[in-house]
Amino acid sequence: MDHYASDASAVVEELDLRNVIHVGHSTGSGEVARYVANHGQSQGCVAAAVLISSVPPLLVKTDAHPDGVPIETLGGFREKLTANRSQFYLDVPSGPFGIRAFSETDQTEDLLAIAVPRSSSRETATRSFPTRSPR
């Protein structure tokens, strides 16, 4: 997520944008959260953040997040993506995304650090992923 947030920061700086409302969907909401928490607020560029059907703050199972998805499950996603990318996108209706970026990045602190107005919407459950935060 760091490189996505850095890219967003570079674009905002280059275009000298101010009071921007950043909107992200799914993995893009993680990018918005990371950007706002680590770049945008300190640059004074962010008016608000909108996170739509956002990825959970942390998806993968860890000691701090025992209810997460086992890394082996995510490894299967990676293997299928590497073996046949086109078929993978047909098989997974949510489309292309960075599996490692959205599954192994803990964004709990990013979400806690956002001080600008934020609107979030997320399903209460999906077939693939839990929605509980590690905290």
Side-chain angles (χ1 to χ4, degrees):
M1 283 298 167
D2 290 332
H3 65 282
Y4 297 134
S6 294
D7 289 349
S9 179
V11 170
V12 168
E13 284 184 43
E14 179 66 26
L15 297 175
D16 195 28
L17 301 176
R18 299 284 177 251
N19 296 316
V20 177
I21 298 173
H22 293 269
V23 179
H25 172 261
S26 190
T27 303
S29 63
E31 178 182 342
V32 168
R34 179 63 50 101
Y35 164 74
V36 171
N38 294 294
H39 302 280
Q41 291 178 136
S42 62
Q43 294 169 334
C45 301
V46 180
V50 179
L51 311 176
I52 302 168
S53 296
S54 59
V55 293
L58 179 60
L59 179 62
V60 72
K61 183 177 184 173
T62 66
D63 290 341
H65 186 42
D67 294 331
V69 175
I71 192 71
E72 298 80 20
T73 301
L74 299 168
F77 272 97
R78 288 188 195 125
E79 290 168 13
K80 290 177 184 176
L81 179 63
T82 301
N84 187 336
R85 183 175 292 268
S86 297
Q87 187 61 48
F88 178 82
Y89 292 142
L90 291 172
D91 292 342
V92 180
S94 60
F97 44 77
I99 295 168
R100 177 167 281 150
F102 89 80
S103 65
E104 296 179 35
T105 302
D106 186 349
Q107 295 190 284
T108 304
E109 295 303 318
D110 296 331
L111 295 170
L112 294 171
I114 295 175
V116 298
R118 179 184 77 202
S119 174
S120 301
S121 72
R122 195 171 78 187
E123 299 90 6
T124 56
T126 68
R127 290 183 307 186
S128 304
F129 308 121
T131 57
R132 286 186 47 206
S133 172
R135 290 193 211 174

